[in-house]
Amino acid sequence: MKIATFNINGIKARAQALPDWLDAFQPDVVLLQEIKSVDEGFPRELFEERGYNVEVHGQKSFNGVGILSKLPLEDVTRGLPGDDTDEQARWIEATVVGEREALRICGLYLPNGNPVPGLKYDYKLAWMARMQKRAEALLAEEMPFLMAGDYNIIPQSEDAARPDAWREDALFRMESREAYRRILNLGLTEAFRARDPRPGQYSFWDYQAGAWNRNDGIRIDHFLMSAAVADMMTDAGIDRDVRGLEKPSDHVPVWVELAA
DNA sequence: ATGTCGCGTCGTACGCGA
């Protein structure tokens, strides 16, 4: 089973590129971020005609997450628990029913958090604390799960072309990375890094200043897996070439292959 | 440090009903 995460930076702007990528890559499950659309505006037929079940948690203009799945999706929930006043659409969960296993899949668009300091940064850290609670709850249920999406976290220096430029940024400053590591340290495995130790493997290149042409990127899209899922992983990677295609998102897909 | 992009709103062009 191939599962991918892809921050598409607007579904309307990616109405050509996303289906093209699905046809080429043939993932079984895709977690989408930044659909930038309300649920009613999401072109679900583009995906249903390709055999995907579609679940979205949208919002006008900003944010918005979704799941495309060739396998049945059950028990879909929307929104990250822990704050009833949070109106930002950044979290969706579903159970994917495979032939042998049922797998809880969490799709997330973690807040950017800039500028630092400020309310947006406070929101990022509070959101990460809520996410940690959710991971703890799933571990307590002994539910095999993965949490994948745009984490807006650069885990290590080798995950940025110019780490010094990011040192005080909300994506890389120590307080952010510590919050990320607290989640990892619950006993989760980060798929790409477990598979590929090479530095300089990025998932995002800014549209500005020729970042793509200079390979001035950062790795901020991640898969975190519980132990049972990590044991099922047979491969993981970043579909880097997508950034060089027509009308690309500023992110590229990150994927795992599971023997499930 | 900056060589961008997507979206909503508003403005404009245009189709529609009267």
Side-chain angles (χ1 to χ4, degrees), chain A residues 44 47-48 51-55 67-73:
Chain A
R44 39 190 317 132
F47 312 106
E48 286 169 345
Y52 288 98
N53 298 295
V54 178
E55 295 289 347
I67 306 179
L68 312 177
S69 176
K70 293 208 167 172
L71 295 159
L73 294 174

Side-chain angles (χ1 to χ4, degrees), chain A residues 1 17 40 84 158 161 175 189:
Chain A
M1 174 162 46
E40 307 77 57
D84 293 340
E158 58 264 36
E175 204 175 358
T189 298

Side-chain angles (χ1 to χ4, degrees), chain A residues 169-224:
Chain A
D169 192 281
L171 277 62
F172 191 52
R173 67 195 308 268
M174 197 53 71
E175 204 175 358
S176 305
R177 293 156 64 189
E178 284 171 354
Y180 173 73
R181 292 209 69 83
R182 276 195 291 276
I183 298 171
L184 260 187
N185 289 344
L186 296 173
L188 306 182
T189 298
E190 195 259 277
F192 181 79
R193 206 36 107 200
R195 175 81 188 167
D196 189 336
R198 294 174 299 161
Q201 307 302 304
Y202 310 131
S203 65
F204 168 91
W205 296 260
D206 201 299
Y207 287 123
Q208 297 185 67
W212 166 246
N213 290 326
R214 297 188 289 119
N215 194 25
D216 180 9
I218 51 178
R219 194 172 69 88
I220 56 176
D221 299 271
H222 310 300
F223 268 91
L224 269 52

Side-chain angles (χ1 to χ4, degrees), chain A residues 106-120:
Chain A
C106 309
L108 65 110
Y109 176 45
L110 205 149
N112 175 296
N114 284 302
V116 180
L119 290 174
K120 289 184 174 177

Side-chain angles (χ1 to χ4, degrees), chain A residues 22-254:
Chain A
L22 293 173
D23 292 343
F25 192 75
Q26 292 289 319
D28 299 289
V29 179
V30 187
L31 302 167
L32 299 174
Q33 301 89 42
E34 282 204 270
I35 64 172
K36 295 185 175 179
S37 165
V38 294
D39 295 0
E40 307 77 57
F42 190 85
R44 39 190 317 132
E45 61 286 351
L46 282 178
F47 312 106
E48 286 169 345
E49 70 194 16
R50 287 172 167 78
Y52 288 98
N53 298 295
V54 178
E55 295 289 347
V56 290
H57 178 35
Q59 177 181 344
K60 188 175 169 185
S61 306
F62 304 110
N63 309 320
V65 289
I67 306 179
L68 312 177
S69 176
K70 293 208 167 172
L71 295 159
L73 294 174
E74 295 181 352
D75 302 321
V76 180
T77 61
R78 294 166 174 79
L80 179 63
D83 180 358
D84 293 340
T85 68
D86 186 358
E87 297 188 339
Q88 300 192 31
R90 297 177 172 277
W91 185 272
I92 187 168
E93 284 185 28
T95 299
V96 175
V97 185
E99 279 178 24
R100 296 194 307 254
E101 307 264 2
L103 179 62
R104 192 69 177 164
I105 294 200
C106 309
L108 65 110
Y109 176 45
L110 205 149
N112 175 296
N114 284 302
V116 180
L119 290 174
K120 289 184 174 177
Y121 193 58
D122 297 343
Y123 175 68
K124 177 176 195 155
L125 294 178
W127 199 96
M128 293 181 80
R130 286 162 59 200
M131 182 177 163
Q132 179 176 341
K133 285 272 184 289
R134 183 65 192 128
E136 287 168 353
L138 287 166
L139 286 166
E141 290 174 33
E142 300 186 11
M143 182 75 164
F145 70 94
L146 62 81
M147 296 178 160
D150 177 356
Y151 276 72
N152 271 313
I153 292 285
I154 303 165
Q156 308 274 11
S157 296
E158 58 264 36
D159 299 313
R162 295 180 302 120
D164 287 342
W166 295 93
R167 204 64 70 182
E168 291 307 318
D169 192 281
L171 277 62
F172 191 52
R173 67 195 308 268
M174 197 53 71
E175 204 175 358
S176 305
R177 293 156 64 189
E178 284 171 354
Y180 173 73
R181 292 209 69 83
R182 276 195 291 276
I183 298 171
L184 260 187
N185 289 344
L186 296 173
L188 306 182
T189 298
E190 195 259 277
F192 181 79
R193 206 36 107 200
R195 175 81 188 167
D196 189 336
R198 294 174 299 161
Q201 307 302 304
Y202 310 131
S203 65
F204 168 91
W205 296 260
D206 201 299
Y207 287 123
Q208 297 185 67
W212 166 246
N213 290 326
R214 297 188 289 119
N215 194 25
D216 180 9
I218 51 178
R219 194 172 69 88
I220 56 176
D221 299 271
H222 310 300
F223 268 91
L224 269 52
M225 306 172 292
S226 69
V229 179
D231 286 345
M232 287 190 275
M233 182 173 76
T234 57
D235 203 359
I238 301 176
D239 202 356
R240 181 183 198 282
D241 295 347
V242 171
R243 187 64 174 80
L245 301 178
E246 201 70 22
K247 211 169 190 299
S249 170
D250 40 8
H251 295 250
V252 296
V254 178

